[in-house]
Amino acid sequence: MTKQLLFCVLLGSLTACQPDSDIQPGTASLAGEIGGRYRTNVFLDPSCVALSSSQLPTVTLLAESDSAVSVLYAYQYPQKGTRRVEGVALSRQADSSVQLRVGNTTLGSVQTERVFTDNGMEKEGKLLRITYQNSATEIPYFAGVKE
């Protein structure tokens, strides 16, 4: 009985003597978290089904500050060009997505969810959806996964 008691005391003291693992705040900014290049494919955007993979549009989010980005929309079809929206504010939502706003208008969102790769396989990744239209800078609907 005493051997069992000593073993339990030894086991309890070994598990109680571990270093504290307090939760530390994250050092990454919202712009750093979602910044990068996003590609679409025919599984994410069926309207691109007639385009070759080299003609598919891309969006690049460039960090301006911790909570602001520039959106650069590059397209190859029907002719090569780019459109840029600067000063896009970022805000974290309750569902852990990041909302992109220009003034009082919602530009789109970035969230982690199940996405389809170019060959149709499903995986988890960051998905950017843009639904912003403005007379000066029109960016059509875009759905793309972070590279």
Side-chain angles (χ1 to χ4, degrees):
M1 176 76 179
T2 57
K3 287 184 181 183
Q4 291 175 343
L5 181 61
L6 286 173
F7 178 73
C8 289
V9 169
L10 176 64
L11 186 62
S13 65
L14 288 176
T15 58
C17 295
Q18 294 189 6
D20 291 336
S21 58
D22 294 336
I23 297 173
Q24 300 295 327
T27 57
S29 65
L30 285 177
E33 178 184 331
I34 68 166
R37 186 171 178 214
Y38 293 80
R39 294 184 305 107
T40 191
N41 60 45
V42 296
F43 299 103
L44 297 173
D45 187 1
S47 68
C48 295
V49 74
L51 301 176
S52 69
S53 61
S54 64
Q55 293 177 320
L56 294 174
T58 62
V59 169
T60 305
L61 301 180
L62 304 167
E64 292 179 352
S65 68
D66 287 347
S67 61
V69 293
S70 290
V71 177
L72 182 63
Y73 176 77
Y75 54 94
Q76 306 294 323
Y77 182 82
Q79 56 194 1
K80 189 174 184 177
T82 60
R83 297 179 181 152
R84 186 179 188 111
V85 179
E86 296 179 343
V88 178
L90 307 174
S91 63
R92 173 87 59 200
Q93 301 301 302
D95 62 354
S96 296
S97 66
V98 177
Q99 187 177 45
L100 290 77
R101 297 182 62 82
V102 176
N104 293 330
T105 307
T106 300
L107 178 102
S109 66
V110 176
Q111 57 193 25
T112 302
E113 63 180 58
R114 303 294 290 175
V115 295
F116 290 99
T117 61
D118 292 340
N119 60 3
M121 299 299 292
E122 191 176 12
K123 69 173 192 168
E124 187 169 298
K126 290 198 182 293
L127 180 67
L128 168 67
R129 285 191 185 106
I130 294 180
T131 56
Y132 176 71
Q133 293 182 353
N134 181 337
S135 60
T137 308
E138 185 176 322
I139 297 177
Y141 172 80
F142 178 85
V145 64
K146 188 172 183 178
E147 291 183 330

